[in-house]
Amino acid sequence: MVLGVTMLSGTIVSVALPQIVGSLNGTQSQYTWVVTAALLASTASTPVWGKLADLFDKKRLLQISIVIFIAASLLCGLAQTTGQLIAFRAVQGLGMGASQVLVQVVIGSLVSPKERGKFNGYIGAIMAVATVGGPLIGGAITDISWLGWRWCFLIGVPFMVIAMIVLSRTLHLEDVRRPDTRVDYVGATLIAAGVSVLLLWITFVGGEFAWISWQSGAMVGAAALLLGLAVWVESRVSQPVIPLHLVTRRETAVAIVASVAVGMAMFGGAVFLGQYFQLARGYSPTEAGLLTVPLMLGVLVSSTVSGRMVSRSGRVKSYVMTGLVTLAAGFFLLSTIDADSALPYVGLGMLLVGTGVGLSMQNLVLVVQNSVPLSELGAASGAITFFRSLGGTIGVSVLGAVLANRVATNITEGLGAAGIDASGAAASGTGTLNLDAMPPFVRDIVADAYGSATGDIFLVATGIAVLGVLVGVLLPRVRLRDSLDLPEPAAAVIAEAEGAGEEGAGEEGAGEEGAGEDTGTARDRAPAAEGRGPAAG
């Protein structure tokens, strides 16, 4: 319920955003930041929540995140300006980031990786249902005059209160006290600051200033310096927020890069497709929500089915690769749409994108969780969720910046052809999104501008998805272990096997699949040798 409501909070506004920003007299840049602010806060806080889950009471942390989310949701519902809404959405993002990692950590503390495939399929299904229901609920709420868009933020509050009560009474986890606990606040601050500066540059470059300018140099240089310092700090402290030995492992590194493409699909698709159906096609918020159902239906079916099949076989690479290829194909279809594209064609592209997300998203998490002991489960889950959210945040920022620039250019050209000079307002991004206040002929020009610009941003997404496919080929063919934890003897056997494999790979001619099977066998052998089955683990 916690994960579902927090996911709902991100998608319920996707269809309603044109109405929200229009009623608050916001701009296209502010439109993007209503989404980006929550994603940025979620992204920056995710690794911190994951590390805290390894050090402190997981149940208490989950309860704290629920309180943060409830308070921020109430503030969002009371916002009077777009600036206030963006600020409150950033606070809401803290609760969103916590739930994404803590729910997976709690389940990971109770279930072995192999059995976790089935549960991760359920998680994917819950996320899909929340994403399906979000646009529909948001559109319906926006269209009902006696409710209005503010209830898009308030509707989740009673459900979170119920979740708080139920978890307080029924969730029982071992409370591990560690007297030597240290939280790497310096590293967390540097990571958050570096990512924030990078995203600010992505948002404003090309509009507020040129790609090659002193502003670009200053912001890119500052981001590189801050992130470089973060890496240096993480390599020196005893308990880093993102342990470098986890990130640099082959399976983790590959899963992280592939997750960037998946994150961009999950966040960018819902955000900009909802805008496309309303501004380019003229549908109401409720109708736009219904039209995005193919995207979420693909996630729902593929994540549930693949989760059960992964738990049965213990293999994940084939599902991840199928998902990444399907994702790229879906983006390619969407890159060809405009304001006049046939709806079945658009629906097919959305279905392929959703299927790709469902096949790959949670299975990439499984790959990372399978390679670490239970004591590092929080940090590993936080790392993979962090980079996936980072991919989504960068994706929304990049696609939003491209969309704003393309729309400004298209509107300027369209108005110029009609004998109207609006280059200043269009280029600066200060033009309103309130279509009701526009003359009919201007509204038609804006619709055409958004239709063609939407295809352009998905062409960019296609290139990133293809990169994810190329990286996914390098993913080892690991087999998920049956034990809950990774015993020390098993870790030693795996380390020794990996070292021997690197030295003798050329002589033995062992392929990726064989190495992966040996690793899985070693993991299964060591618990058996100690007399520790899955239940004991």
Side-chain angles (χ1 to χ4, degrees):
M1 185 180 292
V2 170
L3 183 61
V5 170
T6 52
M7 288 295 299
L8 189 72
S9 69
T11 60
I12 197 172
V13 299
S14 61
V15 170
L17 266 179
Q19 312 297 323
I20 296 173
V21 178
S23 67
L24 296 176
N25 293 318
T27 65
Q28 176 63 49
S29 296
Q30 290 175 323
Y31 181 104
T32 301
W33 272 99
V34 172
V35 179
T36 304
L39 291 177
L40 176 59
S42 173
T43 301
S45 64
T46 294
V48 179
W49 288 111
K51 186 62 180 179
L52 292 176
D54 286 335
L55 305 177
F56 300 108
D57 186 353
K58 299 176 180 62
K59 178 178 178 179
R60 184 65 53 84
L61 289 172
L62 191 57
Q63 291 172 324
I64 292 172
S65 71
I66 292 174
V67 172
I68 294 175
F69 182 84
I70 290 175
S73 298
L74 293 173
L75 291 173
C76 287
L78 299 174
Q80 300 299 311
T81 66
T82 311
Q84 291 179 2
L85 179 60
I86 292 172
F88 297 148
R89 283 281 288 172
V91 179
Q92 194 178 40
L94 297 176
M96 294 169 61
S99 71
Q100 289 182 32
V101 63
L102 291 177
V103 168
Q104 296 186 79
V105 170
V106 168
I107 293 177
S109 301
L110 303 172
V111 182
S112 70
K114 186 174 182 181
E115 189 178 359
R116 205 178 302 156
K118 177 174 63 178
F119 284 90
N120 276 9
Y122 296 153
I123 289 177
I126 291 171
M127 296 169 71
V129 169
T131 312
V132 170
L136 295 176
I137 296 173
I141 289 174
T142 305
D143 285 341
I144 297 175
S145 59
W146 52 273
L147 284 178
W149 61 262
R150 296 184 184 277
W151 278 94
C152 291
F153 302 103
L154 301 176
I155 192 172
V157 172
F159 294 97
M160 293 297 268
V161 172
I162 294 173
M164 171 73 83
I165 296 173
V166 173
L167 287 171
S168 299
R169 295 170 61 95
T170 62
L171 181 61
H172 303 291
L173 297 173
E174 181 182 358
D175 184 10
V176 180
R177 301 288 182 177
R178 301 185 182 182
D180 59 339
T181 293
R182 285 188 174 184
V183 180
D184 179 21
Y185 294 109
V186 175
T189 302
L190 289 171
I191 292 172
V195 171
S196 299
V197 173
L198 180 63
L199 292 175
L200 286 171
W201 173 72
I202 291 172
T203 301
F204 295 117
V205 70
E208 299 295 327
F209 48 83
W211 287 87
I212 301 177
S213 61
W214 70 266
Q215 293 96 329
S216 289
M219 297 184 77
V220 173
L225 177 62
L226 290 169
L227 294 176
L229 288 174
V231 173
W232 181 78
V233 169
E234 297 298 272
S235 66
R236 312 257 320 165
V237 297
S238 58
Q239 296 175 345
V241 174
I242 301 179
L244 296 183
H245 72 275
L246 295 180
V247 178
T248 55
R249 292 192 61 175
R250 178 181 172 184
E251 55 263 53
T252 309
V254 171
I256 285 171
V257 176
S259 293
V260 171
V262 177
M264 185 188 63
M266 184 172 60
F267 295 110
V271 171
F272 295 110
L273 283 171
Q275 189 177 22
Y276 164 78
F277 283 122
Q278 290 181 74
L279 299 182
R281 306 300 293 259
Y283 291 102
S284 69
T286 302
E287 292 169 337
L290 288 170
L291 288 169
T292 58
V293 165
L295 175 69
M296 313 315 165
L297 184 63
V299 181
L300 172 64
V301 175
S302 62
S303 62
T304 304
V305 174
S306 67
R308 298 188 68 87
M309 295 179 71
V310 165
S311 288
R312 187 176 305 159
S313 66
R315 300 180 182 276
V316 293
K317 181 173 181 178
S318 58
Y319 299 99
V320 170
M321 287 304 302
T322 302
L324 293 174
V325 172
T326 306
L327 180 66
F331 274 145
F332 179 74
L333 288 183
L334 292 178
S335 70
T336 63
I337 65 174
D338 56 26
D340 300 317
S341 298
L343 289 181
Y345 182 83
V346 179
L348 176 60
M350 289 190 293
L351 181 64
L352 291 176
V353 169
T355 302
V357 171
L359 286 171
S360 55
M361 180 175 61
Q362 290 303 116
N363 286 328
L364 288 170
V365 176
L366 273 180
V367 170
V368 175
Q369 291 181 338
N370 185 68
S371 64
V372 299
L374 190 62
S375 61
E376 292 184 334
L377 183 64
S381 301
I384 186 66
T385 307
F386 164 73
F387 285 104
R388 185 179 68 199
S389 299
L390 179 62
T393 309
I394 292 177
V396 170
S397 298
V398 170
L399 297 182
V402 172
L403 181 68
N405 291 332
R406 293 294 300 156
V407 166
T409 301
N410 293 343
I411 291 177
T412 301
E413 293 175 353
L415 293 177
I420 301 174
D421 183 12
S423 57
S428 63
T430 58
T432 179
L433 293 181
N434 190 355
L435 296 183
D436 295 334
M438 298 178 183
F441 78 95
V442 175
R443 193 180 310 160
D444 293 339
I445 293 174
V446 172
D448 290 337
Y450 273 96
S452 59
T454 301
D456 294 338
I457 64 173
F458 283 119
L459 182 60
V460 176
T462 302
I464 299 177
V466 170
L467 177 61
V469 173
L470 297 177
V471 173
V473 174
L474 304 176
L475 189 69
R477 292 186 179 274
V478 297
R479 180 178 293 178
L480 302 179
R481 66 177 188 263
D482 291 316
S483 60
L484 182 63
D485 199 358
L486 183 63
E488 291 299 327
V493 170
I494 293 171
E496 182 180 351
E498 288 178 348
E502 291 177 359
E503 294 176 3
E507 298 177 5
E508 296 178 9
E512 279 187 3
E513 183 169 0
E517 291 175 354
D518 290 344
T519 301
T521 305
R523 285 196 174 108
D524 294 337
R525 250 199 329 261
E530 288 195 3
R532 294 179 59 187

